[in-house]
Amino acid sequence: GAGTLPPAQRRISALQQEQRTRLLRRMMLAINRIDGAYYLFARRRGIHENTLALLYALDDGTPHSQKQVCEEWLIPKTTINTIVRQLEGEGLLTLQAGEHGREKTICLTPAGVTYAREILQDVYAAENAAIDAALEQFSPDFVQALEHFTDELCARFESRPGAQPKE
């Protein structure tokens, strides 16, 4: 351990740890600000942030079950169910029989597609401007690095005792 290192190496190791801690805090703050930007955008548009996430998920042109959306977007089942029922009641989506037995697929209606595009066009414009500005300074590899960090962090959290969510 660090206690067996010569004093000079212990100082370097402590410095590296301090630098690592600063980097992690900067990254966590940046991620928090990203989450907050989507949250505030949704509030300004008068919708719940999870409604925005559902519309975003459904706008990729592929069918999604409620279970898939819950798992990919980390939204509780009860929340997705509530949002789906609300949007279904407004005529913005339908539930159709899925490939896996009783699991239903969420599909935007034509009115839902129009609604989603209206909301998401501003999201996509902001995202595109932000990624263009980032790519002027950084390689596209920063996205792969963030994905790798995310995968590693999730794996570490999932392997810890008590990591399974309580249902």
Side-chain angles (χ1 to χ4, degrees), residues 127-138:
E127 289 174 337
N128 282 312
I131 195 76
D132 288 347
L135 291 174
E136 286 178 15
Q137 290 192 344
F138 303 98

Coordinates of all heavy atoms in Angstrom, one line a residue, residues 127-138:
E127 N -28.6 20.3 -28.6 CA -27.6 19.2 -28.6 C -26.7 19.3 -29.8 O -25.4 19.2 -29.6 CB -28.3 17.9 -28.7 CG -29.1 17.5 -27.4 CD -29.8 16.2 -27.6 OE1 -30.2 15.8 -28.7 OE2 -30.1 15.6 -26.5
N128 N -27.2 19.6 -31.0 CA -26.3 19.7 -32.1 C -25.4 20.9 -32.0 O -24.2 20.8 -32.4 CB -27.1 19.8 -33.4 CG -27.7 18.5 -33.8 OD1 -26.9 17.5 -33.9 ND2 -29.0 18.4 -34.1
A129 N -25.8 22.0 -31.5 CA -25.0 23.2 -31.3 C -23.9 22.9 -30.3 O -22.7 23.2 -30.5 CB -25.8 24.4 -30.9
A130 N -24.3 22.2 -29.2 CA -23.3 21.9 -28.2 C -22.3 20.9 -28.6 O -21.1 21.0 -28.4 CB -24.1 21.3 -26.9
I131 N -22.7 19.9 -29.4 CA -21.7 18.9 -29.9 C -20.8 19.5 -30.9 O -19.6 19.2 -30.9 CB -22.4 17.6 -30.4 CG1 -21.4 16.4 -30.5 CG2 -23.0 17.8 -31.7 CD1 -21.0 15.8 -29.2
D132 N -21.3 20.4 -31.7 CA -20.5 21.1 -32.7 C -19.4 21.9 -32.0 O -18.2 21.9 -32.4 CB -21.3 21.9 -33.6 CG -22.1 21.2 -34.6 OD1 -21.9 19.9 -34.8 OD2 -23.1 21.8 -35.3
A133 N -19.8 22.6 -31.0 CA -18.8 23.4 -30.2 C -17.8 22.5 -29.5 O -16.6 22.9 -29.5 CB -19.6 24.3 -29.2
A134 N -18.3 21.4 -29.0 CA -17.3 20.5 -28.3 C -16.3 19.9 -29.3 O -15.1 19.8 -29.0 CB -18.1 19.4 -27.6
L135 N -16.8 19.6 -30.5 CA -16.0 18.9 -31.5 C -15.0 19.9 -32.1 O -14.0 19.5 -32.7 CB -16.8 18.2 -32.6 CG -17.6 17.0 -32.1 CD1 -18.5 16.5 -33.2 CD2 -16.6 15.9 -31.6
E136 N -15.2 21.2 -31.9 CA -14.2 22.2 -32.4 C -13.0 22.1 -31.5 O -11.9 22.5 -31.9 CB -14.8 23.6 -32.3 CG -15.8 23.9 -33.4 CD -16.4 25.3 -33.4 OE1 -15.8 26.1 -32.7 OE2 -17.4 25.5 -34.0
Q137 N -13.1 21.6 -30.2 CA -12.0 21.6 -29.3 C -11.5 20.2 -29.0 O -10.4 20.0 -28.6 CB -12.4 22.3 -28.0 CG -12.6 23.8 -28.1 CD -12.7 24.4 -26.7 OE1 -12.9 23.7 -25.7 NE2 -12.5 25.7 -26.7
F138 N -12.4 19.2 -29.1 CA -12.1 17.8 -28.7 C -12.4 16.8 -29.8 O -13.3 17.0 -30.6 CB -12.9 17.5 -27.4 CG -12.7 18.4 -26.3 CD1 -13.6 19.5 -26.0 CD2 -11.5 18.4 -25.5 CE1 -13.4 20.4 -25.0 CE2 -11.3 19.3 -24.4 CZ -12.2 20.3 -24.2

